[in-house]
Amino acid sequence: MKTQNNNSIVRRCKRRLGFTMVESVMLVSILGVTAGVVGQSLTTMANSAEANNLNLEINDQLMAQMEVLRSTYTTATPAPTSSTPWTKSTPVTLSNGKTYTLNSTIAWADPGQGSTQSNFLQLQVTLGNQAMSTYVSQ
């Protein structure tokens, strides 16, 4: 009798090893859904990082052009007439391969909105949908 009882216990233990087909299908399904969600999240994060990098590159271009205008507007650029601002357009190719137009404008301005001072120039730089503007005195 003891051998018969021992054999049935051994058979039960052997049957319990491993996963059943239903358990395997459930496991693969859960892993597939998890991989899909993680993959989509990583794609979204990569796209937002690329957009941030492009914005930083545009800001760098704007800052560089603004510094050029601020340092050379008195000698290298003609003074704007009272009605016509001085404008220059330059094509700029960014790291994404797209070419944008960098517009630089110098115009007479009144920074105080009603100020009695009339020797101020407004420097404006535009690239894509971003712009930067400042006032300088002569």
Side-chain angles (χ1 to χ4, degrees), residues 85-100:
W86 176 86
T87 304
K88 180 182 179 186
S89 296
T90 309
V92 175
T93 303
L94 300 180
S95 64
N96 65 353
K98 292 183 180 179
T99 301
Y100 296 89

Side-chain angles (χ1 to χ4, degrees), residues 61-94:
Q61 289 286 339
L62 290 174
M63 290 295 292
Q65 184 62 24
M66 183 61 74
E67 288 303 316
V68 167
L69 287 179
R70 287 180 67 173
S71 64
T72 62
Y73 79 92
T74 53
T75 58
T77 58
T81 63
S82 58
S83 60
T84 308
W86 176 86
T87 304
K88 180 182 179 186
S89 296
T90 309
V92 175
T93 303
L94 300 180

